Amino acid sequence: MQIKNQQVTLPVLSQKKITLHIKRDDLTHPLISGNKYRKLKYNLIEAKKRDLKTLVTFGGAYSNHVAAVAYAGKHHGFKTFGIIRGEEIRLNWKDNPTLKLAHEHGMQFVFVSREVYRGKVAIIEELKKNISPFYLLPEGGTNDVAILGCQEILTNADSEYNFITTAVGTGGTISGIINSTSENQYVLGFPALKGSFLKEDIRKFAKKSNWDLQNEYHFGGYGKVSSELVAFINEFKEKTKIPLDPIYTGKMIFGLMDMIRKDYFKPETKILAIHTGGLQGIHGMNLLLKKKGLPLISV
Ligand SMILES: *Cc1c(COP(=O)(O)O)cnc(C)c1O
């Protein structure tokens, strides 16, 4: 199914003579949305080919990837195990919308301390002794096979755009996008976390050098949000009817609009921003915001 790119019309865009479309990869599915579906696609085929009936993966308690693996497992006939970071969550995981949903899709959890989580190899060895042979998906879902799926995000129909923008976590998605760009295109990534390791990770998978990262829009790090970001997401949705998530796409579009305002792009530039999904994470974030007495993301 090919969803048409959606044009954004805001005064600043016409004022700066910039054309902005959003690729609504978030609409592929309400739960297993956007890039996490893309990354899983060929991994599931590979797991079936190897006749493995169980998927094991890693993630934080609000992980879009964990949610996607649980859903995909249920619908493609795999058992799923999620190794979840944070031992304390064992007591109240039912209050966590992401884990509750993953559980409803049949995922079993192993909660481990942050320290144990960092030593992933030991957990994997332990699991090998205790459960049947499994297909291992890395945290965030990025591996060679995942890149193949992400190379399908951009299509020939998108060759009119000069700039492609995307949120960046592990770098798998942007790598796939880079690999399928045409000659005239440049890719800008907006990391959702702090860290200088990302460029190297992307170079492992990306076959071209027509890209760069914008490191000023992570809002303090992974999962960190501010009232300014929440207000931006709410205003953007009100004006364009396009929902953004607070962890990835909200930060990317915030950064992109800021760069447009600051004349980073020449007039007549055509930009395609990839909506990588992640909307399932809004509920979990709203619970955290509510606890802190901060304004919520409108749903
Ligand atoms: C995971 C995720 C990303 C980042 O993808 P990477 O391939 O890890 O860089 C971007 N957007 C959303 C919504 C995500 O869930």
Side-chain angles (χ1 to χ4, degrees):
M1 177 184 50
Q2 191 62 43
I3 299 159
K4 217 169 153 261
N5 296 334
Q6 185 172 345
Q7 181 157 17
V8 178
T9 51
L10 291 170
V12 64
L13 295 169
S14 42
Q15 196 190 326
K16 304 281 185 188
K17 297 193 168 54
I18 301 290
T19 308
L20 172 61
H21 286 89
I22 297 196
K23 185 178 280 295
R24 297 293 307 273
D25 232 28
D26 58 310
L27 296 177
T28 47
H29 190 279
L31 295 175
I32 164 173
S33 65
N35 67 343
K36 297 304 183 286
Y37 164 79
R38 304 273 186 186
K39 289 179 178 196
L40 282 175
K41 183 177 169 188
Y42 291 104
N43 275 298
L44 296 181
I45 291 171
E46 185 62 26
K48 277 189 187 159
K49 216 190 278 173
R50 291 193 211 159
D51 205 24
L52 295 169
K53 303 201 165 45
T54 302
L55 305 173
V56 171
T57 198
F58 292 85
Y62 298 95
S63 164
N64 293 328
H65 168 67
V66 165
V69 170
Y71 182 88
K74 178 167 167 105
H75 289 268
H76 294 270
F78 294 96
K79 266 195 198 174
T80 54
F81 283 85
I83 319 290
I84 308 300
R85 183 178 59 234
E87 217 166 9
E88 72 284 355
I89 299 160
R90 181 177 304 146
L91 300 173
N92 54 8
W93 65 266
K94 285 188 178 133
D95 300 333
N96 175 298
T98 303
L99 296 181
K100 193 163 165 270
L101 203 68
H103 176 74
E104 282 163 17
H105 290 129
M107 182 175 266
Q108 288 173 265
F109 303 124
V110 182
F111 297 98
V112 298
S113 69
R114 280 159 181 80
E115 211 178 356
V116 172
Y117 187 89
R118 272 194 290 274
K120 292 190 176 62
V121 180
I123 310 173
I124 294 163
E125 288 310 313
E126 192 61 30
L127 269 180
K128 277 185 185 161
K129 285 185 229 154
N130 292 308
I131 66 173
S132 50
F134 53 83
Y135 187 87
L136 187 67
L137 291 154
E139 179 176 29
T142 292
N143 57 14
D144 288 332
V145 182
I147 308 297
L148 299 179
C150 293
Q151 286 175 186
E152 295 176 352
I153 295 173
L154 214 56
T155 70
N156 289 337
D158 300 320
S159 59
E160 63 176 298
Y161 300 100
N162 318 111
F163 280 87
I164 317 295
T165 69
T166 183
V168 177
T170 60
T173 303
I174 193 172
S175 298
I177 291 170
I178 292 164
N179 290 348
S180 48
T181 49
S182 51
E183 290 299 306
N184 59 323
Q185 294 182 317
Y186 197 82
V187 183
L188 283 178
F190 293 76
L193 63 165
K194 280 195 253 184
S196 48
F197 51 90
L198 261 177
K199 280 200 163 178
E200 270 166 57
D201 289 349
I202 295 169
R203 278 189 207 107
K204 276 184 226 156
F205 296 114
K207 299 189 186 114
K208 303 179 187 183
S209 53
N210 57 338
W211 59 276
D212 201 3
L213 299 182
Q214 294 298 319
N215 281 306
E216 292 90 71
Y217 301 106
H218 54 62
F219 286 82
Y222 185 75
K224 301 260 167 47
V225 301
S226 69
S227 296
E228 187 190 15
L229 179 65
V230 170
F232 172 82
I233 290 171
N234 289 342
E235 194 187 322
F236 191 82
K237 187 179 173 191
E238 197 183 303
K239 290 185 176 158
T240 66
K241 307 283 176 265
I242 300 174
L244 302 171
D245 84 293
I247 314 284
Y248 293 104
T249 55
K251 293 180 180 181
M252 185 263 290
I253 297 289
F254 182 101
L256 179 59
M257 296 310 295
D258 190 51
M259 289 168 73
I260 290 171
R261 222 175 293 116
K262 292 176 177 163
D263 297 314
Y264 178 93
F265 302 98
K266 286 194 210 115
E268 312 301 336
T269 300
K270 288 185 166 186
I271 304 168
L272 180 65
I274 312 296
H275 196 316
T276 41
L279 300 174
Q280 71 86 24
I282 291 175
H283 303 291
M285 180 57 75
N286 272 345
L287 289 179
L288 295 177
L289 291 170
K290 200 169 164 187
K291 256 190 215 158
K292 294 184 189 163
L294 295 170
L296 304 189
I297 301 159
S298 39
V299 286

